[in-house]
């Protein structure tokens, strides 16, 4: 989702970093021994791979349209008795696929596939000629920094050759001279700030085996010839360096082996010139070599992500007499302030595997392909992409070391994009000492030292906490304090945390707090929310067992003035003895309270929202959501959210299942099971637009913590984001309390009580991300973030804000009595792969329109239509148009005289 917010970078220590999921693209004899991957401007994955059977080599192309799809559009490019020695692949801005292969006899062949699937084959170097190939090939399709397809390869004498295509491929010309000076050629479009018109190729990097250095050759417009190569990076003992360029920064990765000393050195090294001079780092660890027969394969790949951080994929191979195999495929990424983080893409170990290749999309999300040699006869050509794994923030470093226990967490995001954690704390000198309960702490995660603030209450047990940041950026909290640890009720304290709002005049971190007038509550969770006017809503369980909803309107007096005395006013009462209460509040003040009624064993919803259409009611109603039946354990809690449709969802556990309960247009309850088993779970949920994030934690199954997300109103199956593994004492050391918030980039941050020390925050890289700020980058300063630049086919490094989507209105039928509003937007010229109501999916980009009559509640339109015939000057871009009827009758016009539309864009990874 596009969010114009300050990116958040938590101070993190990795657990497992990225995890990976993989799928078999093809199986067969030696499938994927030679392979390559490319990502087109729409984020679609393209691959080529070989299989070898009975002496015949087959080269096959396939494409993956989007995240939810398998590989399709399979096409055979080659079937020959000749082998394929080297392979490369690229996709142009016109979506033409260019695959280059060096055949076993030295031929260099280009397979060109248009966006319509038309295949043409071009031989650019012939076996037996002076330009026949031997040591590598690199191809760039038109538009990727080049005006036309271009190719570099290593000739039989070891020099580098270049050719490009106008109407036909030109005769190859020498780029380097001398034997063994042009290995591992790599075409690129920028280097060192050099500016060359795009009518010519920019530069070619090659490796000189004689000099043990990477060289760069430039094409001169003045002399119309290639200049002598310039040495740029030392690579001792390298055989196949991988090169990439980002905004003038050159990066080189290579496998390094030195057996001259007493202890052989085997490593992967990375060098770049970002500091103005060359710096070299060893990025692998010594213990990655498990035996004296282990080595890092020279077959590795390096690429920069969108933020300029390097990514490296490599293999660990083992070679002994009569045996050779690949242990695993590994991936390293450089994370700012942390260093090089390693993850295992896939463990192998059965046989020796051939190629691997790495490509990235517009944000720098990696895509891997490799041969997984499963047995002596067959292999799987495998595609892998990252999946979510948690990293943890242990905020105990910001606190006194004696704070050993945390519980009753609450989370909020302040206007600066910083995560704020409120939690109760206790100290314990040793395992045999009595716990001493302190005043709760508010910890604000920052780029520098964390800000830690007491809430202003006295020391003692605090059973529950809640925290909220209002629409105008004010932060409020409530905490339930008892006198003794075994108390069944306590006193609610309420206050404001200053310093988080951009316009706050109070000292940073200052707190004003006070006690409600005679307000006591049962020992149960508190829930605090606010609407668009900063009005606060608080739910709790009163001492008589009834549920209460009370409300008040800020602002508060600044610190130093009298204790808060403003009265909270009753808004609603939930009869009986409700448990597991949760609260959601819309911008317009409509609310929904979910809870379990233990007397009749039914999950219920108390709300002033019409669950059939989202309209705000004059008086609240109670709706039965889920009948639990006789016997069995009641759910520990419920969770309630209100997505952009304005109609609530209720989530709760039933047995081992986590259920999402929602309503159709008739008000009937619809139920779906979320994709994990989690017995006796605590459930929390957050809605953002039409996206709903859910986390569930159980202490019964060894301490699992799960996360999933799905979209309201869209026919998609919830995708589980995996199971957390906490190395700090195991998940069993986490208590049942749970809190969740979305950070500034829309990624979930989860906090739990911890029984053995610290304040753990758990968060995701959201399936990927090497750098979570990538989609928010604005390299050209035109106010359009990278996600929008990619989604609307704009130029990342050129100010072109005029190409942003345009909102449109159409009136018709007898003087404009009917009104339609919509958005017209550029999108990649690829087939539509999803056309759900209000949604278009082109490649990895999801476009969704929502409308509102009050700028507070946005809903997915119940009907709409899509037009893709609008012309655009750019032939590689389509213009989509989404419309929604705001009013169709005079009565509707009177009821809703204003209409607003919003276009949401996300990268559907």
């Amino acid at each position: 989702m596009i969010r114009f917010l300050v990116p958040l970078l938590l101070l993190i220590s990795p657990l497992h970093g990225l995890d990976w999921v993989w799928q078999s693209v093809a199986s067969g004899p030696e499938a994927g021994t030679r392979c390559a991957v490319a990502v087109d401007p729409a984020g679609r994955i393209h691959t080529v791979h070989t299989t070898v059977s009975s002496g015949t080599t087959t080269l096959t192309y396939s494409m993956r349209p989007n995240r939810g799809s398998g590989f399709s559009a399979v096409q055979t490019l080659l079937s020959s008795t000749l082998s394929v020695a080297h392979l490369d692949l690229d996709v142009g801005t016109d979506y033409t696929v260019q695959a280059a292969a060096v055949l076993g006899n030295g031929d260099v062949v280009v397979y060109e596939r248009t966006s319509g699937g038309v295949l043409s084959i071009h031989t650019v170097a012939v076996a037996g000629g002076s330009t026949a190939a031997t040591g590598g090939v690199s191809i760039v399709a038109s538009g990727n920094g080049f005006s036309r397809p271009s190719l570099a390869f290593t000739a039989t004498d070891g020099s580098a050759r270049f050719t490009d295509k106008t109407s036909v491929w030109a005769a190859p010309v020498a780029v380097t001279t001398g034997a063994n000076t042009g290995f591992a050629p790599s075409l690129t479009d920028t280097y060192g700030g050099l500016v060359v018109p795009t009518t010519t190729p920019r530069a070619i990097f090659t490796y000189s085996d004689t000099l043990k250095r990477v060289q760069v050759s430039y094409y001169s417009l003045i002399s119309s010839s290639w200049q002598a190569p310039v040495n740029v990076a030392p690579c001792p003992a390298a055989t196949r360096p991988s090169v990439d360029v980002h905004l003038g920064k050159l990066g080189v990765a290579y496998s390094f082996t030195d057996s001259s000393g007493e202890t052989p050195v085997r490593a992967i090294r990375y060098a770049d010139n970002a500091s103005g001079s060359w710096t070299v780092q060893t990025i692998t660890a010594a213990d990655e070599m498990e035996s004296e027969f282990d080595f890092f394969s020279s077959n590795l790949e390096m690429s920069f992500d969108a933020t300029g951080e390097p990514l490296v994929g490599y293999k660990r191979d083992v070679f002994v007499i009569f045996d050779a195999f690949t242990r695993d495929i590994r991936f390293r990424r450089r994370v700012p302030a942390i260093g090089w983080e390693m993850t295992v893409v896939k463990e192998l170990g059965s046989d020796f595997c051939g190629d691997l290749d790495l490509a990235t999309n517009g944000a720098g999300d990696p895509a891997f392909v490799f041969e997984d040699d499963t047995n002596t006869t067959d292999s799987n050509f495998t595609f892998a992409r990252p999946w979510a794994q948690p990293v943890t923030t242990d905020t105990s470093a910001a606190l006194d070391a004696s704070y050993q226990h945390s519980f009753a967490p609450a989370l909020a995001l302040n206007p600066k994009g910083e995560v704020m954690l409120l939690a109760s704390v206790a100290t314990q000198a040793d395992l045999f000492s009595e716990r001493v309960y302190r005043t709760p702490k508010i910890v604000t995660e920052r780029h520098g030292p964390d800000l830690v603030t007491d809430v202003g209450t006295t020391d003692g047990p605090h059973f529950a906490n809640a925290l909220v940041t209002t629409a105008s950026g004010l932060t409020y909290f409530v905490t339930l304090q008892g006198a003794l640890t075994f108390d069944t009720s306590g006193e609610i304290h309420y206050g404001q945390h200053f310093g988080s709002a951009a316009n706050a005049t109070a000292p940073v971190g200052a707190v004003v707090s006070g006690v409600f007038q005679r307000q006591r509550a049962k020992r149960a969770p508190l829930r605090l929310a606010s609407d668009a006017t900063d009005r606060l809503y608080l739910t709790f369980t009163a001492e008589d067992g009834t549920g209460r909803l009370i409300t008040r309107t800020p602002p508060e007096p600044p610190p130093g003035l009298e204790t808060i005395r403003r009265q909270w006013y009753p808004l609603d009462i939930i009869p009986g003895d409700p448990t597991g209460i949760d609260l959601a509040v819309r911008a317009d003040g409509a609310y929904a309270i979910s809870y379990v009624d233990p007397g009749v064993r039914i999950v219920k919803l108390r709300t002033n929202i019409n669950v059939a259409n989202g309209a705000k009611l004059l008086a609240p109603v109670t709706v039965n959501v889920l009948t639990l039946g006789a016997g069995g354990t009641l759910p520990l809690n419920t969770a309630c959210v209100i997505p952009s449709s304005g109609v609530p969802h209720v989530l709760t556990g039933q047995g081992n299942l986590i259920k999402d309960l929602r309503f159709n247009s008739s008000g009937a309850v619809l139920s779906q099971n979320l994709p994990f088993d989690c017995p006796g779970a605590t459930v929390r949920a957050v809605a953002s637009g039409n996206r709903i994030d859910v986390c569930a934690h159980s202490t019964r199954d060894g301490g699992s913590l799960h996360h999933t997300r799905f979209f309201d109103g869209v026919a998609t199956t919830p995708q589980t984001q995996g199971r957390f593994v906490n190395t700090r004492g195991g998940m069993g050391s986490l208590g049942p309390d749970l809190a969740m918030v979305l950070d500034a980039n829309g990624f979930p941050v989860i906090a739990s009580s911890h029984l053995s020390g610290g304040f753990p925050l758990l968060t995701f890289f959201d399936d990927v991300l090497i750098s979570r700020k990538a989609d928010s980058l604005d390299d050209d300063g035109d106010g359009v973030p990278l996600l929008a630049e990619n989604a609307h086919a704009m130029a990342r490094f050129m100010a072109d804000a005029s190409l942003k989507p345009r909102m449109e209105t159409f009136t018709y039928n007898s003087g404009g009595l009917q009104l339609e509003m919509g958005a017209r937007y550029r999108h990649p010229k690829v087939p539509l792969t999803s056309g759900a109501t209000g949604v278009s999916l082109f490649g990895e980009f999801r476009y969704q329109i929502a409308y509102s009559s009050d700028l507070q509640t946005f809903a997915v339109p119940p009907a709409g239509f899509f037009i893709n015939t609008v012309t655009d000057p750019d032939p590689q871009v389509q213009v989509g148009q989404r419309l929604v009827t705001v009013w169709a009758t005079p009565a509707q016009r009177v009821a809703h005289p204003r209409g607003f539309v919003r276009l949401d864009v996300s990268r559907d990874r």
Side-chain angles (χ1 to χ4, degrees):
M1 200 70 69
I2 300 174
R3 302 178 187 277
F4 296 90
L5 297 172
V6 179
L8 172 67
L9 178 63
L10 294 178
L11 301 177
I12 58 178
S13 59
L15 274 72
H16 299 290
L18 296 178
D19 196 8
W20 296 79
V21 292
W22 53 87
Q23 64 186 102
S24 176
V25 182
S27 299
E30 300 182 43
T33 301
R34 297 288 174 259
C35 59
V37 63
V39 184
D40 70 23
R44 301 181 304 174
I45 309 296
H46 302 256
T47 68
V48 287
H49 74 278
T50 60
T51 54
V52 181
S53 178
S54 302
T56 298
T57 297
T58 303
L59 179 63
T60 304
Y61 161 84
S62 57
M63 187 262 289
R64 177 177 176 264
N66 54 47
R67 170 177 171 171
S69 303
F71 282 81
S72 57
V74 177
Q75 189 169 14
T76 299
L77 307 181
L78 168 74
S79 180
S80 171
T81 56
L82 295 172
S83 63
V84 174
H86 301 280
L87 195 58
D88 196 26
L89 179 69
D90 197 24
V91 184
T93 53
D94 61 353
Y95 300 98
T96 297
V97 176
Q98 304 278 357
V102 176
L103 304 186
N105 64 347
D107 282 0
V108 180
V109 181
V110 174
Y111 302 89
E112 182 178 283
R113 186 181 189 273
T114 68
S115 59
V118 178
L119 178 67
S120 58
I121 302 174
H122 312 270
T123 301
V124 299
V126 181
S130 61
T131 59
T134 182
V137 66
S138 174
I139 193 165
V140 174
S142 62
N144 294 339
F146 296 78
S147 62
R148 51 184 178 264
S150 302
L151 178 74
F153 61 90
T154 305
T156 51
D157 63 358
S159 64
R161 304 298 171 103
F162 171 82
T163 178
D164 61 7
K165 178 190 176 185
T166 49
S167 58
V168 296
W169 288 90
V173 297
V175 176
T176 67
T177 57
N180 304 325
T181 59
F183 288 112
S186 177
L187 283 162
T188 187
D189 59 350
T190 60
Y191 172 64
L194 180 71
V195 178
V196 178
T198 56
T199 53
T200 63
R202 303 293 182 92
I204 298 177
F205 290 93
T206 54
Y207 177 69
S208 171
D209 189 52
T210 303
L211 299 174
K212 304 298 182 185
R213 298 183 70 90
V214 169
Q215 312 166 109
V216 64
S217 302
Y218 301 123
Y219 186 81
S220 170
L221 291 175
I222 298 175
S223 63
S224 298
S225 63
W226 285 92
Q227 303 303 292
V230 178
N231 295 330
V232 292
C235 296
T239 55
R240 190 182 178 274
S242 182
V243 178
D244 197 18
V245 175
H246 178 81
L247 297 181
K249 174 175 69 177
L250 171 66
V252 181
Y254 56 93
S255 173
F256 174 79
T257 302
D258 184 358
S259 302
S260 60
E262 182 176 342
T263 302
V265 177
R266 293 161 290 177
I268 303 292
R269 288 185 171 176
Y270 167 80
D272 67 32
N273 62 348
S275 62
S277 59
W278 282 96
T279 57
V280 180
Q281 298 174 287
T282 296
I283 68 174
T284 50
D287 60 7
E288 289 187 63
M289 297 287 95
E290 298 182 20
S291 75
E292 60 180 314
F293 304 107
D294 283 43
F295 64 97
F296 292 112
S297 170
S298 61
N299 188 352
L300 55 80
E301 293 293 334
M302 193 279 293
S303 180
F304 286 113
D305 70 11
T307 67
E309 295 298 336
L311 323 173
V312 180
Y314 60 98
K315 298 192 303 176
R316 290 193 312 156
D317 289 340
V318 180
F319 182 77
V320 294
I321 298 176
F322 305 121
D323 192 17
F325 62 92
T326 300
R327 289 192 187 275
D328 51 36
I329 306 291
R330 295 195 166 198
F331 175 79
R332 283 193 179 263
R333 57 178 183 171
R334 191 171 66 184
V335 180
I338 294 178
W340 289 88
E341 183 186 69
M342 189 279 293
T343 56
V344 176
V345 178
K346 194 172 193 300
E347 294 182 353
L348 303 173
S350 59
D351 210 335
F352 191 80
C353 298
D355 277 355
L356 64 84
D357 198 19
L358 169 69
T360 58
N361 67 1
D365 308 336
F368 249 118
V369 292
F370 52 90
E371 179 195 14
D372 180 358
D373 201 340
T374 55
N375 53 53
T376 56
T377 58
D378 288 333
S379 299
N380 285 322
F381 171 50
T382 303
F383 163 73
R385 63 181 179 87
W387 195 244
Q389 272 285 56
V391 291
T392 176
T393 301
D394 182 1
T395 63
S396 60
L399 305 173
D400 186 284
S402 63
Y403 293 121
Q404 298 179 357
H405 308 279
S406 64
F407 53 96
L411 289 170
L413 194 71
N414 71 21
K416 297 178 182 178
E418 299 164 338
V419 172
M420 303 179 70
L421 168 67
L422 166 63
S424 302
V425 295
T427 62
Q428 193 173 11
D430 54 56
L431 293 176
F432 306 101
S433 301
E434 184 178 352
R435 289 186 185 180
V436 179
Y437 291 87
R438 306 294 189 184
T439 183
K441 303 286 184 180
I442 297 178
V443 182
T444 304
E445 288 285 322
R446 295 187 159 181
H447 295 283
D450 295 338
L451 175 66
V452 182
T453 309
D454 288 340
V455 300
T457 61
T458 59
D459 286 347
H462 290 72
F463 305 131
N465 299 290
L467 188 68
V468 69
T469 298
T470 67
S472 63
L474 304 175
T475 301
Y476 295 91
F477 64 87
V478 290
T479 181
L480 178 62
Q481 182 176 4
L484 301 171
T485 57
F486 51 79
D487 284 349
T488 59
S489 64
E491 197 167 46
I492 301 179
H493 294 250
Y494 154 79
Q496 181 180 358
H497 183 280
F498 285 84
S500 63
N503 59 351
T505 57
V508 172
V511 168
V512 56
S513 64
V515 182
F516 287 111
Q517 294 179 354
R518 299 176 302 279
Q519 186 63 71
R520 293 184 61 82
K522 198 172 180 179
R523 186 169 176 169
L526 306 173
R527 296 290 184 257
L528 185 64
S530 68
D531 62 21
T533 66
D534 286 2
R535 187 180 184 187
L536 300 178
Y537 301 77
L538 172 66
T539 58
F540 61 93
T541 304
E543 287 186 302
D544 64 4
T546 60
R548 302 294 179 93
L549 174 63
I550 60 176
T551 182
R552 59 150 299 119
T553 302
E556 299 306 331
L561 298 184
E562 62 177 329
T563 300
I564 296 172
R565 297 184 184 277
R566 296 196 177 192
Q567 180 67 48
W568 285 67
Y569 300 95
L571 192 61
D572 202 354
I573 296 178
I574 303 171
D577 192 10
T579 62
I581 294 177
D582 197 24
L583 169 69
V585 175
R586 283 194 329 206
D588 63 355
Y591 62 87
I593 302 171
S594 60
Y595 62 97
V596 178
D597 186 334
V600 293
R601 300 182 61 86
I602 295 176
V603 176
K604 296 183 177 182
L605 184 70
R606 180 75 172 175
T607 182
N608 62 350
I609 299 172
N610 185 324
V611 295
N613 57 25
K616 189 175 179 180
L617 302 175
L618 296 177
V621 296
T622 300
V623 181
N624 291 343
V625 179
L626 176 66
T627 300
L628 300 170
T633 304
L634 291 173
L636 289 180
N637 79 321
T638 65
C640 185
V641 293
I642 305 176
S644 56
S645 65
V647 178
H649 281 237
V650 176
L651 299 106
T652 191
Q654 185 179 27
N656 288 357
L657 302 175
I658 306 298
K659 289 184 173 291
D660 167 52
L661 305 156
R662 62 198 191 281
F663 304 89
N664 63 16
S665 57
S666 300
V669 177
L670 303 177
S671 174
Q672 67 172 341
N673 296 329
L674 301 189
F676 41 74
D677 290 337
C678 199
T682 302
V683 183
R684 296 303 301 268
V686 177
S688 176
N690 76 324
R691 191 185 98 182
I692 298 174
D693 286 82
V694 183
C695 64
H697 170 50
S698 172
T699 57
R700 294 186 190 175
D701 62 356
S704 65
L705 178 58
H706 300 264
H707 167 261
T708 189
R709 76 167 48 123
F710 56 92
F711 293 89
D712 176 50
V714 180
T716 56
T717 302
Q719 298 293 318
T720 181
Q721 303 294 308
R723 173 173 168 150
F724 283 108
V725 178
N726 187 352
T727 59
R728 298 181 64 252
M731 296 303 292
S733 65
L734 296 181
D737 304 322
L738 203 60
M740 180 167 65
V741 71
L742 301 183
D743 72 12
N745 289 309
F747 304 124
V749 178
I750 299 167
S752 177
S753 57
H754 204 279
L755 306 182
S756 60
F759 283 76
L761 286 179
L762 301 140
T763 186
F764 284 108
F765 277 114
D766 186 56
D767 298 350
V768 289
L769 271 183
I770 304 315
S771 176
R772 294 184 298 159
K773 64 182 181 180
D775 278 340
S776 301
L777 291 173
D778 183 13
D779 297 289
D780 50 17
D782 61 359
V784 182
L786 177 62
L787 172 55
E789 298 267 10
N790 292 167
H792 301 306
M794 301 166 66
R796 177 181 175 184
F797 300 110
M798 180 186 300
D800 53 359
S802 61
L803 300 180
K804 291 191 300 184
R806 301 196 310 271
M807 299 302 166
E808 299 178 332
T809 61
F810 302 89
T811 57
Y812 60 98
N813 188 17
S814 303
L817 292 180
Q818 292 179 283
L819 172 67
E820 287 187 335
M821 302 181 69
R824 179 175 295 196
Y825 56 93
R826 292 159 51 98
H827 63 80
K829 194 174 184 179
V830 297
L832 175 72
T833 55
S834 176
T837 300
V839 176
S840 302
L841 187 62
F842 294 95
E844 68 175 354
F845 298 108
R846 179 184 295 270
Y847 308 81
Q848 178 165 330
I849 196 168
Y851 76 103
S852 173
S853 61
D854 56 10
L855 270 183
Q856 295 183 20
T857 301
F858 280 84
V860 177
F865 56 91
F866 176 74
I867 304 172
N868 65 354
T869 56
V870 183
T871 58
D872 189 272
D874 186 342
Q876 310 311 328
V877 173
Q878 288 177 310
V879 177
Q881 188 177 49
R882 275 284 188 184
L883 300 174
V884 59
T885 299
V886 179
W887 65 68
T889 66
Q892 291 176 347
R893 181 174 183 176
V894 172
H896 303 291
R898 297 178 298 174
F900 307 92
V901 292
R902 181 182 71 194
L903 179 67
D904 294 332
V905 178
S906 59
R907 200 186 295 272
D908 200 26
R909 295 185 169 94

